[in-house]
Each structure stands twice: as structure tokens, then as C-alpha cells.
Amino acid sequence: MNIRGIPARVGALLVLILAVADPTPSHAQSETGAVRGKVLDATANVGIAGAQVFLAGTTIGTLTDPEGGYFLSGVPAGEQVITVRLIGYRETSKSIAVTAGETVTLDFTVEQTALRQQDLTVTGVAGETPQVKHPYAVERAARGLAATSAIRAYPDFNTESYAPIEENDFRLVSASPLSTFSIDVDRASYANVRRFIQAGERPPVDAVRIEEMINYFPYEWDDVSGEHPFAVETEVWAAPWTPEHRLVRVGLRAPSVETAHLPPGNLVFLLDVSGSMSSPDKLPLLKKAFALLAEQLRPQDRVAVVVYAGAAGLVLPSTPGNRRGKILEAVDRLEAGGSTAGGAGIALAYDVARKHFIEGGNNRVILATDGDFNVGASSDGEMVRLIEEERDSGIFLTVLGFGTGNLKDSKMEQIADHGNGNFHYVDGLLEARKVLVEEMGGTLFTVAKDVKLQVEFNPARAAAYRLIGYENRLLADEDFNDDTKDAGELGAGHTVTALYEVVPAGLPVPRGVDPLRYESTAGPQPPVETPPGAFEDELLYVKVRYKDPDGSESRLLAHAVADRSRSPSRSFRFAAAVAGFGMLLRDSPHAGRFTPDDVISLAEGGRGDDPRGYRGEFIRLVEAARDLDLLGTAAEEGDRR
């Protein structure tokens, strides 16, 4: 950990340098001024990070900071034209009178527009793979501007890692009538996919986890009532990409809890301050995100801050939440430097959380990192085992991923999955607000743990099925009734959507196998006698098991789903659109002839009120991917990844 401050001998040297320097400004300096301001999104009225702001015809330019702010120095006095340019937004220019020796303010409000393929530049030499260049990099190189850490569309050295995903295929109901999996409330994949597309890049196939994309969005649900902490809803519709198939939505929703009504929090922030966290989209953004959360803290909450780089240390003992000044000061003084002893940091954070454990409270470690652990326990297996040892302590985990170029998505996802936790990727201040303010209850307060689903398909109605997404959450069928098996957590206000594509009985099964020669009728128990027609209208049967946050025995919900296709809700339409887009990004053979325009049309039909604009942003993202031709086959895109 490094703390701001200048050693005495360095300070003396600076004084000496300043003393011998000529204090008289040069002629050039006396005839220039400065321009500062903010660049705002016209729709959301929030700052935009990474926008290019420059003085036309000169080498004077900069990029906006994470809050949309900019500062141009050395601007010649007189009437000048300042331009803002950002891929996905309409280029905007304004005139301003610059006065020598003074700083003037000029704010911009820019409107969103779809990306065009011609916005990207392709360069290369004979015999080598062509490279797609982001317009910021091309513009700055042409104008002789130095690259900055904010330009990261195609870094020279990229060590990002993603766990491989083998997409779920159709399974025969006759051979596998049960589908069992753990819920997943992580939303990291969507924010990460958005980051790639906004940079003009197709995301790696394994970065696309469809269930996380679907669950990123809030959906409309009926009120939750009854003895259970969440409700289960189902819908059946024709699959948009293969209309002769059924699409089934199984949804879980926990009611929201106002911040004032949350139980007291014992929060331990575990912050990565290693050298890899120095860029603006890492530790500096983390500090701003932390400040947003600090505003939500109450006197009954307690906050501690543990940091780790080459070693781990406690920089803020457990402190009441209303001591915001002290809390923010401790975080604001942090600087990045050194290697990354993540294992030591995790152990210390859990130790601090145990010492201040609140019975009936919200006890949680919040890990903020790029996941690039490289000292001590650092392999995926070592980190998972370390987290699993802490899992039964009643302390939950939230993982916040930051940055680009060395993002260890696979490691952070595994840590969250095995630590009774959730995983989010923070690509900007707006996402930080969504995760830590708007969805604070779901992110930081668990209402049910070890939540598992098991779906049984009726062979009289279904020939085959496939679960869309959740590939890394699949469980053995016998794990459903085994209370020792870990599963996902559901937070206050969280919604979970699972989609099944079902082949009706009598239709051919894609990539099916020949009928079995020997029907399996033998076994330790005789087959259950079912009265004729008892379940003839049922397509499937949904069972859900969960534990209370401090419980050790599971409770069961069950729900039969009739084979009746109806007009879908707006939420179902939109979830199907997101699933379709995910399949296109993954180059899935199950997408058939589904196109980006089909995704957009379906999403528009499910857009609804959209008070926060998340669904509208999704539609613009699909338009950008379409217009940039980012949805070619995986073979065509392979070299770019």
C-alpha cells in the first residue's frame, strides 16, 4: 500500500528546481487559457467517460474522466471551436471565447446514435492478420497525441481470462427427464459484453454467459406473498427463433427491501491496491464507487477496510456508518503499487468480519479487484478452497470486478460462486450506482441461500429440452435433495429468470439419437402407477429448494406448468430478446435464422416503461453490434479474440 506524500529529500529537490526556474511565463503561455467542462448523455443526463474532447486542427485534446469531466490547457486565446467525439454518439462542436490566463467552462450534452461500420479502421500488412482499430486510437495517432490509459479498446498485452463454456444442447426427455441447476444472480457478463461492444469489439465467446445477461435487467412481477421469501412464476410461449418449439420461462423474485429497513450491516471492504489497479477504470473508479455506497450507510452499520498488494493490511478498523468522513478519507488516501497477495487479503477480511459479527445482521465481505492475484494462494483451485473454508461462517461475499486488459473473470466468478456470493463487473460510475445504490438490497442482503431448481418434463408432452445458459451452474439430479451441496444466493429485490426451449412430443429432435433398443424398465423399485390422464395437460413440474440465510435445512416449493402457450408478458418478450442476442454473440447453432433485427423488434415489444433506460440501452447495443458487423461467425471473429 502506498500513501500519498512526498519524502523530505524529494521535496527539497523540488524546491531547488523551482528556485532556479524562471518564474516569468513565456510569451506563448501568456497568450493561452484553459477550458474545462463536462460531457453529458442527453437522455440520462449523466457524465460520459472516455469521450474525446479536442481543439480542431491542433494537437490539443484529452479524454473525459469516469464522471465525464475534461480539462484542456494551452488553448490559444480568442474564439475557438471545441469538439466532442465518441463512438455511439453524435459528434458535437461548440464555439467559446478563450481569455488569456483564465479558465472558461464549456459543457456538452451529446445524443446517442448507432455505430456505423465505417467508424472503425482496419490496418495490417501482407501475410498478417488485419487489426481493427478503435477510432480514438487512429485519431490520436494521426494527430501526434500520446496515448492515455483511457484508450484501451485493443491493448497491446491482453491477459483477460474466461472459463470455457460448452453450450447446453437438447436432451431427450426419455433419457433425462430431470434438469437440475443452481440459480445465478450474477450480472457481470452483461456489463462486460457492453464494454466490448462500446469499444467496437466483439466479446470473446466465453465472456457471454446468457443467464447473466438476462438477469441483468429488472422485470415486472406480481407482489410476493405467503410463507416463502420469494415467488415463482412461469409462462409458456412459442420460441421466437424456432416457432414450432416451446419457450418456457421460470422466474423467481424476492421482494425489495428499503435501505432503511435492512438489518444492520457488518461490511468489510477488501480492496485491491496492487500495481495492476493503477489505471483510471480501476482504483480511481473504485474510490468513486465506494463513495456512492458510503452515502447509503446508517449509524447501525459498521464498515472496515482491508487492502492488499504485496501484503495485506487493515487501513480502517470497523467504524460506524455515520462516520463517513473518516471512512472516505481512509479510502481516498490509497494508491496502487506492488504485487497482488489476494489470498492473504481474503483471510484477513474474513477474520475482521468474524470479530465484528452481528447476529441477525448482514455480514459480508466486499472484494473489489481485477482478479489478477499473483502472490501466495493465487490459482483458481487455491482461491476456491480458501473461500469454501470461510463459506459456513455466516459471512457472505460480493465480488466487484474492475478494469480491462488483465480482467480475471474466470477467477472472480468462481470465488463468488463458491463463497455464498454474487459477482458484478463495474465498467463505469453508472454501473457502480446500479449495483451499490439502486440494487443495494439485492447486492448486499441475502434472503435465501443454496437455491436450487429441478424441472421434470412430461414425456407425453415433451420430446426434448435445453436449458438456455447456466452451463456452469448445472447440478447432478441427486444434488437437489442434498442439503450439503452449495448453490446460489437470492438477494432482496433480485429476480432470476431461466428459459427452456422445449421440443413438443412428436416433433423431430435437433441432433437426436436413435430410439433405444432396450427400454429401461428394471430397477430397484417398480415404476409408479399413474392414473390415465392424471398429468396429461402438464408440460413440466418445477421444484425449488432453498435455505433461510442462517438455516441448515432446505425448504421446498413446487409448481406444475400446463402446456398452454399464451401471449407473452413484456418481461418474457424482453428476456427472450436478450437470450436471442446472447445466442448470436455465441454463434449458437440453436439461433437458426434469428437476426439482430429480430432481437431489436422483440426487445422493442418488451421495452415497457423502462424508467432507468436499461432496456433502451440494450436495444442501442444490439443496433451497434449489427451496424458494426460484430455478429459474424466465431471463425470469422477468432483472430480478434
Side-chain angles (χ1 to χ4, degrees):
M1 178 187 68
N2 298 326
I3 306 297
R4 288 197 187 112
I6 301 175
R9 58 188 178 185
V10 177
L13 179 60
L14 290 174
V15 171
L16 178 61
I17 293 172
L18 292 173
V20 300
D22 183 0
T24 306
S26 68
H27 178 70
Q29 289 176 320
S30 64
E31 294 183 353
T32 64
V35 181
R36 72 166 70 246
K38 295 193 72 172
V39 178
L40 304 175
D41 183 293
T43 303
N45 196 34
V46 294
I48 303 172
Q52 184 183 7
V53 184
F54 60 92
L55 182 63
T58 73
T59 59
I60 299 171
T62 187
L63 295 178
T64 55
D65 62 28
E67 294 181 337
Y70 74 90
F71 183 82
L72 297 175
S73 60
V75 180
E79 193 75 14
Q80 303 293 347
V81 177
I82 309 295
T83 299
V84 171
R85 180 181 296 164
L86 177 63
I87 192 168
Y89 286 84
R90 195 180 312 281
E91 183 174 310
T92 304
S93 298
K94 285 186 177 182
S95 297
I96 189 169
V98 179
T99 303
E102 296 184 5
T103 299
V104 293
T105 299
L106 181 63
D107 294 331
F108 289 83
T109 300
V110 293
E111 297 179 349
Q112 296 177 359
T113 182
L115 296 173
R116 303 166 301 167
Q117 186 171 1
Q118 58 264 38
D119 289 333
L120 295 183
T121 300
V122 180
T123 63
V125 297
E128 295 184 2
T129 302
Q131 297 294 313
V132 179
K133 295 295 184 181
H134 195 283
Y136 305 158
V138 174
E139 174 76 18
R140 294 180 71 86
R143 292 168 51 232
L145 293 178
T148 74
S149 58
I151 304 174
R152 296 174 303 277
Y154 286 85
D156 294 331
F157 187 65
N158 190 315
T159 62
E160 294 190 9
S161 65
Y162 300 92
I165 296 175
E166 190 70 31
E167 186 179 18
N168 291 328
D169 211 335
F170 282 101
R171 305 187 71 180
L172 293 175
V173 174
S174 59
S176 304
L178 296 177
S179 172
T180 308
F181 65 98
S182 162
I183 69 163
D184 186 358
V185 296
D186 297 345
R187 283 88 182 272
S189 181
Y190 177 79
N192 196 26
V193 164
R194 177 179 61 199
R195 184 252 301 188
F196 276 102
I197 294 176
Q198 288 179 340
E201 224 184 323
R202 179 174 179 165
V205 167
D206 291 326
V208 182
R209 296 187 288 273
I210 296 178
E211 74 280 4
E212 293 185 23
M213 294 180 64
I214 294 171
N215 290 327
Y216 179 88
F217 299 93
Y219 295 101
E220 301 161 353
W221 302 78
D222 294 333
D223 292 335
V224 178
S225 60
E227 60 177 305
H228 300 288
F230 56 87
V232 180
E233 290 188 1
T234 56
E235 287 184 88
V236 180
W237 186 35
W241 42 86
T242 311
E244 60 269 25
H245 292 176
R246 302 275 195 271
L247 188 65
V248 180
R249 178 181 74 92
V250 180
L252 277 60
R253 175 186 179 263
S256 299
V257 178
E258 295 294 332
T259 301
H261 299 144
L262 290 171
N266 165 34
L267 306 178
V268 179
F269 287 87
L270 176 56
L271 308 183
D272 182 351
V273 294
S274 63
S276 66
M277 290 288 289
S278 61
S279 62
D281 60 344
K282 294 185 180 181
L283 184 58
L285 176 59
L286 190 163
K287 291 180 181 181
K288 292 181 172 66
F290 184 92
L292 292 175
L293 178 60
E295 290 299 318
Q296 310 303 310
L297 297 174
R298 307 159 301 173
Q300 62 266 41
D301 299 321
R302 300 193 67 85
V303 175
V305 178
V306 173
V307 299
Y308 64 92
L314 180 66
V315 299
L316 179 71
S318 188
T319 302
N322 59 350
R323 301 283 304 275
R324 292 189 186 92
K326 181 178 180 181
I327 294 169
L328 292 175
E329 180 184 8
V331 174
D332 189 56
R333 295 172 61 199
L334 300 175
E335 295 290 348
S339 53
T340 316
I346 290 172
L348 177 58
Y350 274 96
D351 183 59
V352 173
R354 279 193 298 270
K355 289 179 179 178
H356 299 277
F357 191 88
I358 300 175
E359 290 292 339
N362 178 20
N363 299 280
R364 184 172 296 267
V365 170
I366 302 171
L367 169 61
T369 178
D370 58 12
D372 196 4
F373 307 138
N374 52 35
V375 173
S378 60
S379 72
D380 288 4
E382 288 175 312
M383 298 302 292
V384 165
R385 283 189 289 274
L386 177 62
I387 288 293
E388 286 180 335
E389 291 173 1
E390 304 287 355
R391 187 170 61 201
D392 297 329
S393 63
I395 299 168
F396 293 87
L397 176 69
T398 290
V399 179
L400 304 178
F402 288 81
T404 64
N406 66 332
L407 182 71
K408 299 300 182 284
D409 176 275
S410 56
K411 191 184 299 292
M412 290 187 285
E413 184 195 16
Q414 286 199 54
I415 290 173
D417 289 351
H418 289 267
N420 282 349
N422 48 63
F423 172 36
H424 303 265
Y425 175 69
V426 180
D427 60 344
L429 208 55
L430 290 181
E431 186 66 14
R433 176 174 291 279
K434 179 179 186 291
V435 172
L436 297 175
V437 179
E438 296 172 13
E439 300 175 355
M440 179 180 178
T443 303
L444 302 182
F445 179 50
T446 298
V447 298
K449 69 178 182 179
D450 293 339
V451 185
K452 313 170 193 174
L453 278 83
Q454 187 168 78
V455 178
E456 179 181 356
F457 291 87
N458 181 1
R461 290 283 181 169
Y465 64 87
R466 71 179 187 94
L467 175 61
I468 300 176
Y470 295 92
E471 286 85 359
N472 57 5
R473 292 291 191 149
L474 300 179
L475 298 173
D477 293 338
E478 55 269 25
D479 290 344
F480 182 72
N481 291 326
D482 186 349
D483 282 352
T484 67
K485 295 296 182 180
D486 182 58
E489 279 58 57
L490 189 66
H494 268 163
T495 60
V496 175
T497 296
L499 299 179
Y500 281 95
E501 183 176 352
V502 181
V503 180
L507 292 185
V509 177
R511 298 183 62 197
V513 298
D514 293 337
L516 298 178
R517 177 179 178 86
Y518 306 104
E519 290 294 337
S520 178
T521 57
Q525 297 178 347
V528 177
E529 293 293 334
T530 301
F535 307 130
E536 65 179 9
D537 290 335
E538 292 183 10
L539 177 62
L540 52 88
Y541 191 61
V542 179
K543 295 183 292 185
V544 183
R545 280 198 178 275
Y546 72 94
K547 298 174 189 170
D548 293 326
D550 56 354
S552 58
E553 294 185 4
S554 65
R555 304 175 68 185
L556 177 67
L557 290 83
H559 185 80
V561 180
D563 188 12
R564 287 192 291 270
S565 180
R566 298 178 178 175
S567 178
S569 65
R570 287 183 298 191
S571 291
F572 195 2
R573 286 182 183 274
F574 191 81
V578 179
F581 185 49
M583 288 191 289
L584 292 177
L585 288 172
R586 290 191 56 81
D587 193 24
S588 169
H590 302 296
R593 296 185 177 181
F594 209 56
T595 68
D597 287 334
D598 295 328
V599 173
I600 293 166
S601 176
L602 195 57
E604 289 283 9
R607 184 170 182 170
D609 295 334
D610 194 25
R612 297 287 185 181
Y614 298 134
R615 298 188 184 188
E617 178 198 58
F618 169 79
I619 293 169
R620 292 191 295 273
L621 204 66
V622 180
E623 291 173 341
R626 176 198 62 192
D627 295 344
L628 284 168
D629 196 23
L630 298 183
L631 298 174
T633 65
E636 293 171 349
E637 296 291 329
D639 289 334
R640 297 183 188 178
R641 295 194 299 273

